Amino acid sequence: VGGRGGTDIISTVEFNHTGELLATGDKGGRVVIFQREPESKNTPHSQGEYDVYSTFQSHEPEFDYLKSLEIEEKINKIKWLPQQNAAHSLLSTNDKTIKLWKITERDKRPEGYNLKDEEGKLKDLSTVTSLQVPVLKPMDLMVEVSPRRVFANGHTYHINSISVNSDCETYMSADDLRINLWHLAITDRSFNIVDIKPANMEDLTEVITASEFHPHHCNLFVYSSSKGSLRLCDMRAAALCDKHSKLFEEPEDPSNRSFFSEIISSVSDVKFSHSGRYMLTRDYLTVKVWDLNMEARPIETYQVHDYLRSKLCSLYENDCIFDKFECAWNGSDSVIMTGAYNNFFRMFDRNTKRDVTLEASRESSKPRAVLKPRRVCAGGKRRRDDISVDSLDFTKKILHTAWHPAENIIAIAATNNLYIFQDKVSSEMH
């Protein structure tokens, strides 16, 4: 799925809780929802194909007259709400405003009203001589998307994450310095649960980069910081969670210290495992797995693209060093995935310790084609098919990825193209 121009650059990708629906948000404020096709008897391989289900404009560009700032329409995050009935609901947010959308299907329409004609205009009552029972007639399926609530004015700074609580009644939103707790039914007020803003902004040393609720314990949440730390907070302990319950931080190796140390240690994403036992974090060069019971250091560290360590200077000059890569768990928490440059993405198997680099590109993704593992060589001897570090394209970056909650189906956003790959029974990704 692709397009032209800057507005269709994909900015977030999210499966719903069953994996039947997949939502993407883009720079132009649009949300596109894909639905998985049911498997048919004639074409047994067609299952897993995702087709466009609905497209709608979620946010428009706005202007903040008090600050003389333009608020862009770009969708920063989408989160699905657990399904309560036939309708689906999702939250979408740009830098300032969170919206709750309801997605419903209609395949029948009422006909034979007593007081309205076919066009829906009211009839002259004197002409109504008999009563009829209106009937529901089948019609072509229509997907209707309606805005149900708008949660505005909760944030002074840019919203970087939203997370729905396991109680299904509340959610939180985080910006650079504060985290707010909202009730899904109440739009005009939220509770501030974290505030790291110093009295004097000149004393500011770190910002909040991401935040997420624990999948099972409604009182626990985590937030990550630009200094590379994770803070686990317990809402039972105090209304304002500025004092964290646990601080997860890896001491820096003095031998690796450089001008870029602090920048590359900034955590760009944090995700609880489905089990709730672990946390996955991504910084510029690595992904790390943390055990909730061990704060001193991560239990696993995986190098995403260690060959860039010698290139940090030029990556700083072209601003790539500030790119915010996301990370994802598979459904059983045994494999983790994250993106890289040159349209590459990485997978790490936690059990076998095997890892692979795959490419999301037009060439490699003809339908049913098998993805070939890629290798980057940092110098020295090159094997055939190896890609040299100097030929990597840093404008092609995979920041946003998502993994189906139960199956080996992944969604990869490569600029303005969405790739969906699935594992066909074999051990290779297809």
Side-chain angles (χ1 to χ4, degrees), residues 92-103:
S92 63
T93 184
N94 67 350
D95 283 342
K96 296 286 178 186
T97 305
I98 304 147
K99 296 184 180 180
L100 172 62
W101 298 90
K102 186 176 181 187
I103 301 116

Side-chain angles (χ1 to χ4, degrees), residues 5-68:
T7 57
D8 57 359
I9 290 173
I10 298 170
S11 50
T12 185
V13 188
E14 191 80 14
F15 280 102
N16 75 339
H17 297 270
T18 60
E20 292 304 299
L21 298 177
L22 170 67
T24 65
D26 70 18
K27 210 166 175 263
R30 281 181 302 271
V31 171
V32 181
I33 301 173
F34 299 86
Q35 184 183 42
R36 192 177 184 188
E37 290 297 299
E39 188 167 5
S40 68
K41 290 202 168 56
N42 324 337
T43 52
H45 293 296
S46 72
Q47 205 201 2
E49 303 285 321
Y50 283 79
D51 288 329
V52 174
Y53 178 65
S54 178
T55 302
F56 63 96
Q57 190 71 32
S58 168
H59 287 68
E60 304 279 357
E62 286 176 71
F63 194 77
D64 183 336
Y65 292 97
L66 290 175
K67 296 202 180 80
S68 293

Side-chain angles (χ1 to χ4, degrees), residues 91-259:
L91 291 168
S92 63
T93 184
N94 67 350
D95 283 342
K96 296 286 178 186
T97 305
I98 304 147
K99 296 184 180 180
L100 172 62
W101 298 90
K102 186 176 181 187
I103 301 116
T104 47
E105 287 186 358
R106 271 183 42 198
D107 58 358
K108 295 183 178 64
R109 65 163 186 267
E111 272 185 19
Y113 283 113
N114 289 294
L115 303 179
K116 283 192 263 185
D117 62 17
E118 295 307 312
E119 272 81 59
K121 294 195 194 75
L122 280 174
K123 291 182 189 170
D124 176 2
L125 294 184
S126 61
T127 62
V128 180
T129 54
S130 63
L131 286 178
Q132 54 180 347
V133 178
V135 291
L136 286 172
K137 290 271 178 73
M139 63 173 216
D140 286 345
L141 179 70
M142 262 177 61
V143 179
E144 294 183 337
V145 180
S146 53
R148 298 311 295 254
R149 297 199 179 83
V150 177
F151 303 88
N153 308 322
H155 289 274
T156 310
Y157 307 97
H158 290 176
I159 298 171
N160 56 45
S161 33
I162 49 177
S163 177
V164 181
N165 193 320
S166 59
D167 66 10
C168 302
E169 284 189 359
T170 56
Y171 75 93
M172 70 175 168
S173 55
D175 67 24
D176 301 326
L177 298 176
R178 298 188 181 105
I179 300 176
N180 292 337
L181 181 69
W182 302 81
H183 193 286
L184 283 160
I186 300 166
T187 57
D188 59 356
R189 64 178 183 272
S190 62
F191 295 99
N192 179 233
I193 52 175
V194 172
D195 187 347
I196 65 165
K197 183 175 185 270
N200 179 358
M201 281 298 265
E202 284 171 14
D203 301 332
L204 183 68
T205 57
E206 65 180 328
V207 293
I208 297 166
T209 54
S211 183
E212 194 180 50
F213 269 121
H214 190 281
H216 315 303
H217 300 303
C218 62
N219 52 293
L220 292 180
F221 66 93
V222 67
Y223 69 91
S224 58
S225 93
S226 56
K227 279 196 159 172
S229 61
L230 297 174
R231 289 177 175 85
L232 188 73
C233 303
D234 188 340
M235 293 194 292
R236 292 174 304 189
L240 190 64
C241 299
D242 288 354
K243 292 189 172 62
H244 50 266
S245 304
K246 287 189 173 188
L247 175 67
F248 298 80
E249 204 164 27
E250 187 169 27
E252 193 184 26
D253 177 357
S255 64
N256 274 341
R257 178 106 194 109
S258 78
F259 170 74

Side-chain angles (χ1 to χ4, degrees), residues 229-410:
S229 61
L230 297 174
R231 289 177 175 85
L232 188 73
C233 303
D234 188 340
M235 293 194 292
R236 292 174 304 189
L240 190 64
C241 299
D242 288 354
K243 292 189 172 62
H244 50 266
S245 304
K246 287 189 173 188
L247 175 67
F248 298 80
E249 204 164 27
E250 187 169 27
E252 193 184 26
D253 177 357
S255 64
N256 274 341
R257 178 106 194 109
S258 78
F259 170 74
F260 304 109
S261 296
E262 189 160 311
I263 302 173
I264 63 171
S265 69
S266 176
V267 174
S268 53
D269 195 19
V270 56
K271 295 267 167 57
F272 278 107
S273 62
H274 296 82
S275 68
R277 169 80 189 266
Y278 304 104
M279 295 179 293
L280 177 63
T281 60
R282 171 73 206 257
D283 57 36
Y284 192 62
L285 295 177
T286 69
V287 273
K288 294 173 178 171
V289 176
W290 302 78
D291 187 318
L292 255 65
N293 302 324
M294 190 168 99
E295 295 154 74
R297 60 184 179 279
I299 54 168
E300 295 155 31
T301 299
Y302 301 96
Q303 301 297 332
V304 177
H305 38 206
D306 203 44
Y307 46 80
L308 295 184
R309 209 174 275 279
S310 59
K311 301 268 179 234
L312 294 176
C313 224
S314 54
L315 291 164
Y316 177 74
E317 281 163 13
N318 65 14
D319 274 355
C320 284
I321 202 167
F322 301 107
D323 284 336
K324 292 176 169 47
F325 291 95
E326 295 170 7
C327 50
W329 296 91
N330 72 340
S332 62
D333 300 334
S334 61
V335 182
I336 52 188
M337 168 173 67
T338 191
Y341 294 107
N342 209 60
N343 278 348
F344 289 168
F345 59 98
R346 303 271 284 136
M347 290 185 163
F348 302 94
D349 187 313
R350 299 178 57 211
N351 300 326
T352 64
K353 299 300 179 207
R354 281 171 49 195
D355 66 285
V356 67
T357 301
L358 300 170
E359 182 182 1
S361 69
R362 294 265 163 118
E363 297 72 61
S364 70
S365 59
K366 306 265 187 301
R368 321 256 175 275
V370 177
L371 285 186
K372 272 211 317 271
R374 301 286 184 190
R375 273 228 324 283
V376 178
C377 84
K381 275 210 208 105
R382 264 182 76 181
R383 286 195 244 166
R384 208 165 64 83
D385 289 348
D386 276 12
I387 298 110
S388 85
V389 177
D390 296 318
S391 63
L392 293 175
D393 186 341
F394 290 103
T395 62
K396 295 180 173 168
K397 45 193 93 170
I398 292 180
L399 304 175
H400 313 289
T401 61
W403 203 310
H404 186 291
E407 296 177 47
N408 275 339
I409 298 176
I410 56 173

